[in-house]
Amino acid sequence: MSVETARVIVVSLAVGVAWVVYRRVMGASSSRGGARTARRAEALGLLPASRQNTLLPGPAPELERALAAAARGDWEPAAGLMVATRERRDWQRRYRYAGALGGLAAEGDGAWLDAWEAAAGPDDPDVAVVRIDFTISLAWRLRGSAWAKDTTSEQFGGFFRVLPQAVKHIERAAELNPDDPTPYAKGATVALGLNYSHDDMHRIWQEITSRDPHHYGAHTAALLYWCAKWHGSEELATSFAQRAAASAPPGTLLRMLPLISWWEHHEGSGKKADHRSPQLAAQVDAALADVAAAPPDHPDLPRVRHLLAYILVRQGRFEAALEQFRLVDGHVGAVPWSLYEDPAAVYCRWRDKAVRGARRR
């Protein structure tokens, strides 16, 4: 999506969002593969690319219904969903739901979010956290996903005009619900774009961990900050990941962090043998043990399974990869597939490698 300041583009997007969301939730139609691929996938008990949900990493029926309703302009299911996360103090799910809802609002004109805010009033803590994600998502849409050298001054101008607005929304959401780590966890993402100093990041991190010391989403956001491509180095990112993994109880998924740090710094530039090193195999084994100990309804469990499945294929561990693929099949809204223009097609290509490899074994 290009710059959204032109009114005609905003209006066009608003009209089309409901259909786009429906396609992404239900699975986009595709001409690739045709009936033959569909029959093969059905025989394996797996779904073709045309039936993969590209919006979410795994099943979340309540969220899917809220997103579909919001795309039609009905904000009440989203409000009910966010109230429930607050009342249950389900901070990790609250973090993910706010991200999905805010991102959806940024795809259109945000009218349903405005309507929710008008009905709830200025002191509603739930609409406040969604407003944070709306602002962050809008800023990144204005910037685009290209490297800095390929980003225009106009794109950067829009980005730096909008993203600082997220700071005031973070402060307001934190004020309205002081126990909630969600605003501060979103602040870790804002720190990337606004080039916060290390001291500033440490202060945000203290606010997060004092409220939820094993928050997976916050840890992955902070890990990105410490990566070499942002404001740290491979050494700083790896150190952060290893400390978090070592101190986390089983089932928190934080033993995935060293693997993510490796992937962020080596994927795309490493040789095939690098994926099969004893060190990386040990990191994968630790992550698999953490996954096995995690609650089945952990909101980030599908997200972790996707990356594990990909790396397991790269390691030639096809049976283990196929097990992870089977547990997430039908949803592809996660890294690494979401990095591609056609995530469903890329996902199916790697999944089918696991199928073929497991059959040969």
Side-chain angles (χ1 to χ4, degrees):
M1 184 181 297
S2 60
V3 178
E4 296 181 343
T5 54
R7 178 64 180 168
V8 63
I9 298 178
V10 172
V11 172
S12 298
L13 285 170
V15 171
V17 161
W19 174 241
V20 170
V21 170
Y22 175 82
R23 290 279 300 277
R24 291 169 68 191
V25 170
M26 299 306 295
S29 61
S30 173
S31 61
R32 298 185 181 185
R36 182 178 179 183
T37 301
R39 288 194 299 269
R40 183 180 299 122
E42 184 178 357
L44 294 171
L46 303 170
L47 298 174
S50 61
R51 293 183 59 192
Q52 300 292 335
N53 176 325
T54 62
L55 184 64
L56 300 174
E62 290 184 338
L63 177 59
E64 291 180 17
R65 287 193 292 270
L67 290 169
R72 298 191 302 268
D74 180 6
W75 54 266
E76 291 188 13
L81 205 62
M82 294 302 293
V83 167
T85 63
R86 173 166 49 86
E87 291 178 346
R88 295 195 303 262
R89 299 176 67 85
D90 190 349
W91 303 134
Q92 305 214 53
R93 203 173 307 276
R94 183 174 178 82
Y95 175 87
R96 292 302 182 189
Y97 284 4
L101 291 166
L104 173 67
E107 288 190 6
D109 61 358
W112 66 267
L113 182 58
D114 294 337
W116 176 11
E117 193 167 30
D123 298 329
D124 185 273
D126 304 315
V127 71
V129 294
V130 176
R131 180 65 70 178
I132 297 170
D133 272 294
F134 166 75
T135 308
I136 294 172
S137 297
L138 181 59
W140 281 102
R141 286 180 175 278
L142 291 171
R143 183 199 181 279
S145 59
W147 291 96
K149 65 182 180 63
D150 300 318
T151 303
T152 68
S153 58
E154 183 181 16
Q155 288 173 307
F156 273 126
F159 178 75
F160 286 113
R161 183 175 65 254
V162 172
L163 188 59
Q165 298 173 22
V167 177
K168 67 178 183 179
H169 294 309
I170 289 170
E171 293 171 350
R172 181 58 176 159
E175 178 185 356
L176 292 171
N177 193 11
D179 291 341
D180 186 2
T182 309
Y184 300 101
K186 303 300 182 181
T189 299
V190 172
L192 296 179
L194 295 185
N195 305 317
Y196 281 16
S197 70
H198 288 188
D199 287 342
D200 289 338
M201 186 60 185
H202 283 304
R203 282 191 287 270
I204 293 172
W205 192 242
Q206 185 175 5
E207 297 286 1
I208 295 168
T209 53
S210 67
R211 291 165 173 81
D212 191 345
H214 307 300
H215 192 297
Y216 180 82
H219 275 80
T220 54
L223 177 60
L224 286 179
Y225 174 90
W226 294 113
C227 283
K229 64 183 179 182
W230 287 104
H231 305 296
S233 64
E234 182 175 359
E235 181 181 4
L236 286 172
T238 300
S239 176
F240 172 84
Q242 290 175 342
R243 288 196 308 272
S247 63
T252 57
L253 303 180
L254 295 185
R255 293 177 189 174
M256 187 74 181
L257 294 180
L259 186 58
I260 296 175
S261 180
W262 182 92
W263 187 82
E264 287 288 346
H265 292 94
H266 296 281
E267 179 62 30
S269 59
K271 300 176 182 178
K272 182 177 180 179
D274 294 340
H275 289 86
R276 305 192 180 195
S277 69
Q279 179 184 4
L280 195 64
Q283 290 177 355
V284 171
D285 289 340
L288 287 170
D290 213 8
V291 163
D297 65 342
H298 193 300
D300 288 298
L301 187 55
R303 189 171 277 102
V304 167
R305 291 190 189 280
H306 281 285
L307 186 55
L308 275 174
Y310 168 77
I311 294 177
L312 285 165
V313 174
R314 296 295 300 263
Q315 292 184 334
R317 300 166 68 176
F318 300 115
E319 295 89 346
L322 185 55
E323 179 183 358
Q324 299 302 318
F325 278 119
R326 288 188 182 279
L327 291 168
V328 296
D329 197 63
H331 294 79
V332 298
V335 171
W337 333 117
S338 59
L339 301 176
Y340 295 88
E341 184 177 348
D342 190 345
V346 176
Y347 164 85
C348 287
R349 186 158 62 247
W350 284 92
R351 183 197 65 190
D352 292 349
K353 287 184 180 182
V355 171
R356 290 192 298 271
R359 280 182 169 181
R360 286 196 298 269
R361 297 288 174 86

